[in-house]
């Protein structure tokens, strides 16, 4: 079945639509500060829409979520802190474009899982090595940028990697969310032409589906922002570590 047939509402059951709407809400809440929630719906999307197709469907929603997050937190963002990750992340995206165009959908899903396994390893390393500030290490920052760029292109799954990088800077809660929103907006925008031209996973029909998802996504951002406002700084860091690790494991063992 082609992607055009899959996303036709007449060919979708209530389970598929429920997962789709839930995904939109989680993406919005995640972008507003409840980091990691959107990772739980990525494997479900891969199941219902196919690995590569699901990545293209989710991407415009991620962009919408980035813009909503910036609406709330743009004054707190410190974009200079993440500029060093941009060059290796771009290289990782380009590598992923080539790899993704050469493998089957089953192999694509396996590659998504492998990318997330790397995320889990980095999280554990950072925890047991005393929370080293990896942003000061060129080796770690370049490695995170490269693997994050690859993961974000191959499955919109770079959250655990970049969350780790931002957490290592020990930014205040608002700066953490705003800085991440700018970074994801830059990377997600860079990915769009590859999805349209190379992978052909974004088209008019997928955008029609996005139009249904975005109102729910916006609702999710307001709910997420409200919840984040009640969480103190230190517990928020522990929350992000926990949800990031769980979401990474969930995606790998989807």
């Amino acid at each position: 079945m082609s992607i055009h047939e899959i996303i036709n509402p007449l060919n979708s059951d209530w389970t598929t639509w429920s997962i789709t709407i839930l995904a939109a809400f989680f993406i919005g809440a995640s972008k507003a500060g409840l980091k990691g929630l959107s990772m739980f719906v990525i494997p479900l999307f891969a199941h219902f829409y196919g690995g590569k197709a699901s990545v293209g469907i989710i991407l415009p929603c991620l962009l919408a979520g980035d813009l909503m997050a910036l609406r709330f937190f743009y004054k707190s963002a410190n974009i200079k802190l993440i500029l060093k990750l941009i060059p290796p992340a771009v290289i990782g995206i380009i590598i992923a474009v080539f790899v993704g165009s050469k493998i089957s959908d089953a192999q694509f899903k396996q590659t998504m899982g492998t990318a997330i396994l790397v995320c889990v390893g980095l999280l554990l390393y950072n925890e047991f090595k005393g929370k080293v500030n990896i942003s000061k290490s060129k080796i770690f920052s370049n490695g995170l940028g490269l693997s994050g760029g690859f993961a974000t292109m191959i499955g919109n799954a770079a959250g655990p990697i970049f969350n780790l990088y931002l957490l290592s800077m020990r930014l205040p809660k608002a700066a953490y969310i705003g800085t991440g929103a700018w970074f994801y907006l830059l990377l997600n925008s860079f990915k769009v032409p590859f999805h349209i031209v190379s992978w052909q996973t974004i088209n008019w029909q997928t955008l029609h589906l996005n139009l249904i998802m975005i109102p729910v996504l916006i609702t999710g951002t307001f709910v997420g922002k409200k919840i984040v406002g009640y969480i103190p700084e230190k517990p928020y860091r522990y929350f992000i570590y926990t949800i990031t690790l769980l979401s990474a494991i969930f995606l790998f063992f989807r």
Side-chain angles (χ1 to χ4, degrees):
M1 184 179 292
S2 69
I3 185 173
H4 305 286
E5 297 172 318
I6 292 173
I7 64 172
N8 186 329
L10 296 178
N11 295 327
S12 300
D13 55 30
W14 281 106
T15 301
T16 302
W17 277 111
S18 298
I19 293 298
T20 301
I21 297 303
L22 181 66
F25 184 86
F26 274 14
I27 290 171
S30 177
K31 291 295 184 179
L34 298 179
K35 299 294 185 181
L37 289 182
S38 62
M39 295 289 291
F40 289 107
V41 300
I42 289 176
L44 294 175
F45 251 53
H47 172 74
F48 286 106
Y49 293 105
K52 187 181 294 185
S54 68
V55 177
I57 293 172
I58 291 176
L59 181 56
C61 289
L62 295 177
L63 282 166
D66 294 329
L67 292 172
M68 286 297 298
L70 286 176
R71 178 184 180 276
F72 297 131
F73 299 103
Y74 74 95
K75 291 183 179 179
S76 304
N78 191 336
I79 196 170
K80 292 181 180 179
L81 292 178
I82 47 84
L83 285 179
K84 66 176 69 175
L85 278 186
I86 294 292
V90 167
I91 294 173
I93 288 173
I94 294 173
I95 293 173
V97 170
F98 177 79
V99 172
S101 63
K102 300 295 182 181
I103 59 179
S104 67
D105 195 67
Q107 292 171 324
F108 192 94
K109 292 179 183 179
Q110 293 171 359
T111 306
M112 287 171 65
T114 302
I116 296 306
L117 183 60
V118 174
C119 301
V120 176
L122 289 170
L123 282 168
L124 293 176
Y125 180 88
N126 193 59
E127 270 304 305
F128 290 111
K129 290 295 182 179
K131 299 183 178 65
V132 178
N133 188 341
I134 55 180
S135 64
K136 295 182 178 179
S137 169
K138 288 186 177 181
I139 295 177
F140 272 107
S141 61
N142 287 336
L144 285 174
L146 186 66
S147 57
F150 184 89
T152 193
M153 186 68 200
I154 211 73
N156 292 321
I161 296 177
F162 292 134
N163 288 348
L164 172 60
Y165 178 78
L166 294 174
L167 283 170
S168 75
M169 296 179 182
R170 301 192 174 279
L171 299 172
K173 183 168 56 177
Y176 167 79
I177 300 171
T179 303
W182 268 114
F183 189 51
Y184 291 126
L185 178 65
L186 292 172
L187 285 191
N188 287 332
S189 298
F190 180 74
K191 288 154 49 179
V192 170
F194 296 110
H195 278 281
I196 295 174
V197 178
S198 180
W199 287 1
Q200 298 181 348
T201 50
I202 294 180
N203 51 54
W204 288 116
Q205 285 190 284
T206 63
L207 291 175
H208 289 163
L209 181 60
N210 294 144
L211 288 176
I212 298 173
M213 297 173 68
I214 285 177
V216 182
L217 181 149
I218 292 174
T219 302
T221 61
F222 280 97
V223 173
K225 181 179 181 295
K226 192 73 172 178
I227 294 174
V228 167
Y230 290 113
I231 306 176
E233 292 285 348
K234 190 172 182 179
Y236 179 75
R237 284 183 59 82
Y238 290 135
F239 168 79
I240 296 300
Y241 267 119
T242 301
I243 200 69
T244 300
L245 180 59
L246 289 176
S247 62
I249 295 173
F250 180 78
L251 181 57
F252 182 71
F253 293 105
R254 60 198 181 280

